[in-house]
Each structure stands twice: as C-alpha cells, then as structure tokens.
Amino acid sequence: MIEIRHLRTLTALREAGTLAGAAIRLHLTQSALSHQIRSLEERLGLPLLRRARRPLRFTAAGERLLTLADRLLPALEITRRELERMGAGRAGRLHLAIECHSCFDWLMPAMDAYRPRWPEVEIDLSLAYGFEPLPALARGDLDLVITVDPEERDDLRFFPLFRHEAVLLTAPGHRLATRPWIEPMDLAAETVITYPVPLERLDLYRHFLRPARVEPRARRTAELTAVLLQLVASGRGVAALPRWAAAAFVARGSVVARPLGREAMWATLYAGIRSEHGETAYIRDFIETARRTAFRELEGIRP
C-alpha cells in the first residue's frame, strides 16, 4: 500500500514547504504530485496534509509516515551504495572459520595484510561453529572456511593452500622419542590426544591407524593447540599435529616430533567457499594472501 516513492514525496514536501517546490525536486508536474498524494490518502482513509496552512503542515498520520521515511530512506540509500560497491567487487562480507585450530598463528597475519587492501570488506573470524563449519558455509552463515576435509558438492569450492607434514609429538623422555619414524603398532599402547572431533575426521586415524587395524589404548581431547601441546610435554599422551604447528615447542625442547611412517604423512589444507563466490575478487584475493602468508610464516610446507 505504502510505496517508497510515497515516502520520498512526503520528505520532499516537508523540505520544500509547497507543492510547487516539491514537484520541482521530484521532477513531476504539480498536478501529478497532487494526484499521487490524494491517491495515497484515499488508500489510507486518512488526510496527510493540512492544505489550508502555508507553508504546508502535516497531519498526525503524515507525521507518522515522515518518521518512517526518516528511518527507512537513509537505510535504503546506504544499502544501495553498498550494493554498488559490491557489484564493482570493492566491498562485501568475509566471515571466516577455521576447522584447523592450529591455523591461528599464520591466519591472523594474513588478515592483517589483507585489511589495508580491502577496507570496505567486513572481515570477521568466527569461533561459533567449532569443528563443524562446512554446513554453516553452505547455509551462508560463513563465507570462507579453512579445512583439511574438502567435500565433493556442487555448492562449495575448495582451493588448496599448501601441503604439510603431520608428525607424532611426544614428551622428550617418551619411549617413542628416539624412533626414526613411527609405525601404527607403536601407538597401540598409547593415549592419543586429539581435538574433539569424530575419529573419521582425524587424519591420524583415517590414513595411519585404521588402515593398519590399530586402535590406541585411550583417547583424550583438547580444544586448544597450546593445551594439547602442554599435555604432550607433561607426558599425558602423544598427539599428531602439523610439523609447523608444534615448531616452537620442538625448538624449545618441550616436545619431540617424529615422522608418521617411513615415508611420512602429508596432508593438504584448503580454503572452502560457496561456488557462487568463486570469481569474487575480494574473496579470491584473501585466498592468495593466506597462501602467501603461510609460505612466509611457516616452515616445512610445500605447494
């Protein structure tokens, strides 16, 4: 019933104070403007103007519509400008989540490098989706997810960032600390510390233990990488992490890193986005920035 043009008309009337002045502002004839106002009044069943007054005065109903116009029209204009910038690839939203919790150390510098180049992109790192961010990405709650578990589906696309070696971490005095590499049976008597995710999503189980039909003695979980490493360092168990994620602890001698298998075990980290954003400039540039930052910040990764 009430259209945007009606709100613009009432605002022009308030600003001009006369029908003639408002008609000029709206690029209408005075007759067309009068007809539009009377038509709206008939639809509403209420007068909007006190026409006997000079300058024009609004009735209570007219003032109520002006209040609506003052709230709605500026928001529409802001949205229009934002959509124009988005259409030009200069603005938008980039809400991220990390499935790989050891990724914070290099992702934060990537965000810092990205922001000055794309100041009109609203960038945010969400912790609300825990270890299951891909459904949120598909729904549109997130715009990019860093993951080691790409899924084959039409609505999502995954771009490889880098390959990294997964290693077994032990306390320095642990019985496995002197092994040249770790075999699956070596973990049969161990407590393995992992992130709190289903076992089928852990590379240690999927690609190392279960193909050899080996089950560790026990499993313990920790949500934070730093806590996980502290547990390993204190002899509470062993853990498998990317070599770069434990580099500082290894350098200090707090933990020992050993290859998983004679040939070592490598995995690929991906950036996942919705397929509709595959060519969006500011999203593709973030992926490239993240990749460049990783190779600058991390040791031992491969293209």
Side-chain angles (χ1 to χ4, degrees), residues 2-286:
I2 300 170
E3 302 175 17
I4 297 299
R5 65 190 177 99
H6 296 143
L7 300 181
R8 291 197 172 106
T9 293
L10 294 175
T11 300
L13 279 168
R14 180 180 61 187
E15 293 171 352
T18 65
L19 282 170
I24 292 171
R25 288 172 179 249
L26 296 168
H27 307 289
L28 296 172
T29 66
Q30 189 169 337
S31 174
L33 180 58
S34 296
H35 177 74
Q36 181 189 131
I37 297 169
R38 290 192 184 280
S39 175
L40 179 59
E41 288 176 326
E42 290 174 3
R43 290 190 204 177
L44 297 173
L46 291 167
L48 300 177
L49 299 175
R50 303 183 190 281
R51 290 172 173 79
R53 304 288 296 274
R54 294 289 183 274
L56 286 175
R57 291 289 183 268
F58 292 87
T59 65
E63 292 288 353
R64 180 65 185 85
L65 287 180
L66 282 171
T67 300
L68 174 64
D70 290 341
R71 185 173 71 249
L72 185 60
L73 294 180
L76 286 172
E77 179 61 18
I78 291 171
T79 301
R80 182 189 66 78
R81 293 177 182 175
E82 288 177 348
L83 291 173
E84 286 181 353
R85 293 196 298 272
M86 290 174 70
R90 299 192 305 272
R93 188 194 79 165
L94 185 55
H95 287 188
L96 316 171
I98 308 174
E99 198 174 50
C100 164
H101 277 216
S102 53
C103 294
F104 282 102
D105 288 347
W106 66 266
L107 193 61
M108 298 306 289
M111 294 171 65
D112 291 339
Y114 176 82
R115 283 192 180 97
R117 294 202 305 276
W118 299 92
E120 294 186 83
V121 172
E122 175 197 338
I123 185 168
D124 185 37
L125 181 59
S126 175
L127 302 178
Y129 297 96
F131 292 91
E132 293 287 348
L134 293 184
L137 175 64
R139 287 195 307 269
D141 298 335
L142 296 171
D143 305 300
L144 187 146
V145 168
I146 305 298
T147 179
V148 293
D149 280 325
E151 295 182 1
E152 292 187 14
R153 46 192 295 175
D154 293 336
D155 57 340
L156 300 181
R157 291 182 63 183
F158 294 88
F159 297 85
L161 296 173
F162 56 82
R163 286 176 57 75
H164 61 271
E165 182 190 2
V167 293
L168 189 80
L169 302 166
T170 75
H174 193 279
R175 67 182 182 88
L176 300 178
T178 58
R179 299 285 179 88
W181 63 81
I182 304 300
E183 296 289 353
M185 275 304 300
D186 293 331
L187 301 184
E190 298 297 327
T191 296
V192 172
I193 307 171
T194 75
Y195 295 120
V197 302
L199 294 182
E200 59 269 18
R201 295 182 53 207
L202 293 169
D203 285 352
L204 176 68
Y205 282 79
R206 286 191 304 176
H207 304 307
F208 190 70
L209 293 174
R210 290 194 167 166
R213 301 181 182 277
V214 172
E215 194 72 24
R217 178 177 62 85
R219 180 195 182 200
R220 180 173 182 172
T221 62
E223 292 192 5
L224 301 178
T225 303
V227 172
L228 188 152
L229 286 166
Q230 290 287 357
L231 290 171
V232 171
S234 63
R236 309 292 181 85
V238 298
L241 285 180
R243 184 180 288 275
W244 55 264
F249 275 69
V250 172
R252 292 199 302 266
S254 301
V255 300
V256 173
R258 288 293 176 261
L260 287 163
R262 182 190 293 266
E263 304 299 325
M265 190 172 77
W266 289 77
T268 301
L269 198 65
Y270 294 85
I273 64 173
R274 288 190 298 284
S275 298
E276 65 198 68
H277 287 161
E279 302 305 323
T280 302
Y282 65 84
I283 291 181
R284 292 298 295 267
D285 187 60
F286 182 84

